[in-house]
Amino acid sequence: MLRLLNIEFHKLKHNRASRVLTIIYFALLTSIALIAAIKFDVGVIKFHLADQGIFNFPYIWHFNTYMASIFKFFLLLVIVSMMANEYSNKTLKQNLIDGLSKKEFILSKFYTVIVFAAISTFFVFVVSMILGLIYSDFNELSIIFSDLGYLLAFFIKLTAFFSFGLFMGILVKRSAFAVGGILVWFFIENIFKGFLYWKFNSDKFASNDTVSSDSLSSIGVNDIMQFFPLESMANLIKQPFTKLNAIQTAGKQLGQDFAFDVSVHWYQIAIATVWIFIFIYASYALLKKRDL
């Protein structure tokens, strides 16, 4: 494993674009701390975002992993370019000539994906811990280390997303086309999701069902969509904003119920993990069939 990782990181070390994108990615993860500096002080209106409870334990684990996952596209570019460069620089063929098997080649990429995801998770853990210890109103150990499941979900989400990028990089051999393919798949999933909502609502109105259309369509659509790759990743860490006290209070005043289920469930992790194995195995099967 270490030998394979050494090979990959040697390649990345000599790739300027990958180094720049990686630095930007981790700089953006650090920028989460800048949220604490957001203040509005206009006359009688005084607003400090850090005072709204976003850095309170254990909420901070949910909030920071959700925000950090937005920046994953920068490392995705590193992953797909890492694969595309193997074809353009012909290092893939050279590695195979030098005795590396196709299985070892795929494993070296997968190990790199895992390392990137693990370092990102640890980085978010450290940043969140520091911000929480500074701003949180709750510092009991039992509270601090509760809801750490969001960190596991973050790790699985990144691993699944980067594995998808690795598969697309092998499939189309070009960075731009690989990223474009992922975007196309994103639109396909959302178009299909919209179709399902329309279908469920149409069936409801046609049958004059007395059940709330929102409730009916939401249950049916999510049951289907949770098995799609990008949707399964999105389900791992759902939006955290409705958990804020300010949002809950505003919702009650407006007569809205914001009691959404945004917890991390074992079956969501299981579904995303299955997709990881599918992407890695498909990458290996694709590479094995190709005449290089």
Side-chain angles (χ1 to χ4, degrees), residues 248 250-258:
Q248 291 285 344
K252 290 178 181 178
Q253 292 175 347
L254 296 172
Q256 296 292 325
D257 183 11
F258 290 145

Side-chain angles (χ1 to χ4, degrees), residues 43-288:
V44 296
I45 301 176
K46 295 183 179 181
F47 177 80
H48 187 190
L49 191 57
D51 292 336
Q52 303 308 305
I54 63 171
F55 294 142
N56 278 343
F57 289 118
Y59 177 77
I60 191 172
W61 303 121
H62 187 183
F63 180 81
N64 281 6
T65 51
Y66 178 83
M67 297 301 295
S69 64
I70 297 172
F71 305 132
K72 64 184 180 291
F73 293 98
F74 287 92
L75 270 190
L76 173 69
L77 296 177
V78 174
I79 299 298
V80 295
S81 65
M82 177 177 70
M83 195 59 240
N85 289 338
E86 297 285 357
Y87 289 103
S88 60
N89 298 333
K90 301 190 183 300
T91 50
L92 169 55
K93 182 177 288 187
Q94 187 60 48
N95 285 154
L96 297 178
I97 293 174
D98 292 340
L100 200 69
S101 69
K102 291 183 177 180
K103 179 180 179 181
E104 287 178 319
F105 178 82
I106 292 298
L107 284 176
S108 70
K109 301 300 180 185
F110 182 50
Y111 292 154
T112 305
V113 163
I114 291 176
V115 168
F116 273 130
I119 293 175
S120 299
T121 303
F122 178 74
F123 202 83
V124 171
F125 170 79
V126 172
V127 171
S128 301
M129 181 65 73
I130 293 172
L131 289 173
L133 292 175
I134 294 173
Y135 293 105
S136 178
D137 295 328
F138 312 103
N139 293 315
E140 294 83 0
L141 286 179
S142 59
I143 295 178
I144 290 176
F145 292 105
S146 60
D147 278 1
L148 288 182
Y150 287 106
L151 286 172
L152 173 61
F154 181 71
F155 172 77
I156 297 296
K157 183 172 185 173
L158 291 189
T159 304
F161 191 64
F162 298 154
S163 297
F164 191 12
L166 176 62
F167 168 71
M168 292 301 296
I170 292 176
L171 180 65
V172 299
K173 303 181 182 181
R174 293 291 185 273
S175 300
F177 291 145
V179 174
I182 292 175
L183 289 175
V184 169
W185 184 257
F186 171 77
F187 288 121
I188 289 174
E189 281 197 19
N190 279 274
I191 290 171
F192 184 65
K193 187 176 184 178
F195 168 76
L196 289 179
Y197 273 115
W198 171 80
K199 179 65 176 175
F200 272 82
N201 280 315
S202 297
D203 291 345
K204 180 262 175 184
F205 288 124
S207 63
N208 292 319
D209 200 340
T210 58
V211 179
S212 165
S213 65
D214 286 340
S215 174
L216 180 63
S217 61
S218 176
I219 294 173
V221 171
N222 289 336
D223 283 346
I224 297 171
M225 292 303 301
Q226 67 177 338
F227 295 105
F228 283 67
L230 292 179
E231 186 72 14
S232 70
M233 300 173 205
N235 284 340
L236 287 172
I237 306 176
K238 299 176 182 177
Q239 59 78 25
F241 307 110
T242 52
K243 291 170 65 176
L244 287 170
N245 290 332
I247 301 298
Q248 291 285 344
T249 301
K252 290 178 181 178
Q253 292 175 347
L254 296 172
Q256 296 292 325
D257 183 11
F258 290 145
F260 300 115
D261 182 11
V262 293
S263 300
V264 178
H265 298 286
W266 68 268
Y267 58 86
Q268 295 169 333
I269 290 177
I271 293 171
T273 302
V274 168
W275 276 112
I276 292 173
F277 285 104
I278 289 174
F279 290 138
I280 298 304
Y281 180 78
S283 298
Y284 171 66
L286 193 61
L287 189 64
K288 190 176 181 181

